[in-house]
C-alpha cells in the first residue's frame, strides 16, 4: 500500500475498520449516503473475532490499523465495529489527535435511543466484548433519559452469519433461543449492537412480528458521518467517476472475498495487507 502525497482535505478518504468483513454493512451505508466519498476499509481478518478478545488486544490492533489509515491520509476514521468501538474508541481518539476525526458506531445510536426511548425499556444484543464493556449502558445513563437497558451477549450470531446461515431452521432456532431469554422480555426496542447483525434483521423482525422496533445503526452512523463532514466543510466534491475504494484485509481467503457480497451488497476485491507480518 503506497502512501500518497497529502491531498486537499475534503478529497481525503474516509477510513473504516472492523475485525473482518462485518463492518462492510457500515461501509455500504456510508457509500450509499455519500457516493462521492472514497473509502479505505481495513478488515482485520487475521484477528477476528474481536468479540472474544481482551480489551488490551483490541486496543493494540486498533492503534496499528489507525497508523495505516493515517498513512492513507484519511480525514475520518470510522470504527465500524461495536467491539472495537467499545474497547478502543477513547484510546484511538487520543492517539489520532488532530490528524483525523475518529467516529464510532455507538454514539449515534445512543443519541437516537435517548431521543426516542426516554423512560422506556430497550434490549441490546452484541458480542461478549461489547456487552461486558457496558459501554451502551454507561453512555445511556449519562444522557439521564431514564432508558432501562438490558443486554445479552449473542456470540453464536457473528460466526453463523459469516457462514451464510441467515434464513434456515438452524439460524431461526439460534435467533429464537437468544431472543427468548428472560433478560430481553418486554423490551420495546432491540439494538443490533454488532455490525454483522443487519444481515439477520429480517429474521429478527419476523421473530418479533412488529411488537419490538429493531434498531440497526448503520444508516444512523452514516448520517452522523455526513453531518460531521458537512459541518467541518469536508464533504468530498463530486468527481468525474465513481470513487476508487480500497478494501484491505490482514489475512486473505477466497471465502472472505465471496462474503463481501453479503455485507456490501456487491462483491468487492479484497487486497491482502499483512499488517502483522
Ligand atoms: N463486527 C463486530 C462488532 O460489531 C463483531 C464481530 C467480531 O466479534 O469480530 O462487534
Amino acid at each position: 500500500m503506497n502512501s500518497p502525497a497529502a491531498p486537499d482535505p475534503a478529497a481525503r478518504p474516509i477510513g473504516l475498520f472492523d475485525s473482518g468483513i462485518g463492518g462492510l454493512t457500515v461501509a455500504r451505508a456510508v457509500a450509499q449516503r455519500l457516493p462521492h466519498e472514497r473509502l479505505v476499509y481495513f478488515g482485520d481478518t487475521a484477528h477476528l473475532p474481536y468479540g472474544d478478545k481482551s480489551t488490551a488486544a483490541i486496543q493494540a490492533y486498533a492503534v496499528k490499523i489507525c497508523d495505516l489509515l493515517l498513512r492513507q491520509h484519511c480525514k475520518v476514521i470510522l470504527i465500524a465495529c461495536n467491539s472495537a468501538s467499545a474497547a478502543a474508541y477513547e484510546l484511538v481518539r487520543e492517539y489520532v489527535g488532530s490528524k483525523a476525526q475518529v467516529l464510532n458506531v455507538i454514539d449515534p445510536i445512543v443519541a437516537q435511543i435517548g431521543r426516542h426511548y426516554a423512560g422506556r425499556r430497550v434490549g441490546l444484543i452484541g458480542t461478549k466484548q461489547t456487552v461486558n464493556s457496558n459501554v451502551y449502558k454507561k453512555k445511556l445513563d449519562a444522557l439521564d433519559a431514564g432508558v432501562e437497558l438490558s443486554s445479552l451477549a449473542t456470540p453464536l450470531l457473528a460466526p453463523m452469519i459469516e457462514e451464510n446461515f441467515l434464513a434456515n431452521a438452524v439460524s431461526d432456532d439460534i435467533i429464537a433461543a437468544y431472543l427468548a431469554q428472560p433478560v430481553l422480555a418486554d423490551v420495546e426496542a432491540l439494538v443490533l449492537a454488532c455490525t454483522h447483525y443487519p444481515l439477520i434483521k429480517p429474521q429478527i423482525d419476523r421473530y418479533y412480528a412488529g411488537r419490538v422496533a429493531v434498531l440497526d445503526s448503520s444508516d444512523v452512523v452514516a448520517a452522523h458521518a455526513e453531518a460531521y463532514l458537512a459541518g467541518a466543510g469536508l464533504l468530498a466534491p463530486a468527481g468525474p467517476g465513481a470513487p476508487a475504494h480500497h478494501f484491505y484485509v490482514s489475512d486473505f481467503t477466497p471465502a472472505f472475498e465471496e462474503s463481501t457480497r453479503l455485507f456490501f451488497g456487491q462483491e468487492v476485491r479484497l487486497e491482502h495487507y499483512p499488517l502483522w507480518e
Side-chain angles (χ1 to χ4, degrees), residues 18-19 22 48-51 81-83 127 130 158 193-196:
D18 176 51
S19 59
L48 66 79
Y50 277 5
C81 171
N82 280 265
S83 307
T127 65
T130 300
C194 174
T195 53
H196 281 65

Side-chain angles (χ1 to χ4, degrees), residues 159-177:
M160 179 189 95
I161 293 165
E162 281 181 6
E163 288 302 326
N164 202 2
F165 264 52
L166 302 178
N168 58 42
V170 175
S171 59
D172 281 349
D173 277 354
I174 293 174
I175 291 168

Side-chain angles (χ1 to χ4, degrees), residues 67-244:
D67 277 339
L68 182 152
L69 295 175
L70 289 174
R71 285 202 298 277
Q72 293 290 302
H73 302 291
C74 291
K75 58 188 171 186
V76 165
I77 294 179
L78 170 50
I79 307 178
C81 171
N82 280 265
S83 307
S85 295
Y89 170 63
E90 303 293 343
L91 179 95
V92 160
R93 213 170 53 146
E94 226 171 274
Y95 182 76
V96 167
S98 60
K99 294 190 215 79
Q101 179 75 14
V102 181
L103 304 178
N104 65 60
V105 287
I106 296 175
D107 289 331
I109 192 83
V110 163
Q112 198 192 43
I113 296 165
R115 281 195 299 275
H116 298 292
Y117 292 93
R120 294 157 77 180
R121 193 168 145 67
V122 172
L124 176 147
I125 54 174
T127 65
K128 289 181 199 166
Q129 166 62 231
T130 300
V131 169
N132 293 340
S133 74
N134 250 335
V135 62
Y136 278 86
K137 181 160 171 40
K138 287 181 205 155
K139 287 179 188 259
L140 280 167
D141 286 352
L143 295 181
D144 206 15
V147 176
E148 194 195 326
L149 186 76
S150 308
S151 305
L152 179 71
T154 49
L156 290 178
L157 295 183
M160 179 189 95
I161 293 165
E162 281 181 6
E163 288 302 326
N164 202 2
F165 264 52
L166 302 178
N168 58 42
V170 175
S171 59
D172 281 349
D173 277 354
I174 293 174
I175 291 168
Y178 278 138
L179 299 182
Q181 295 291 312
V183 68
L184 296 179
D186 304 323
V187 296
E188 292 185 53
L190 182 79
V191 184
L192 303 184
C194 174
T195 53
H196 281 65
Y197 298 175
L199 270 72
I200 51 167
K201 185 175 182 294
Q203 287 73 19
I204 296 178
D205 277 330
R206 200 167 59 229
Y207 173 87
Y208 283 124
R211 296 187 308 276
V212 169
V214 180
L215 309 178
D216 161 11
S217 64
S218 45
D219 290 332
V220 182
V221 167
H224 182 75
E226 180 181 34
Y228 164 72
L229 291 172
L234 285 176
L235 280 170

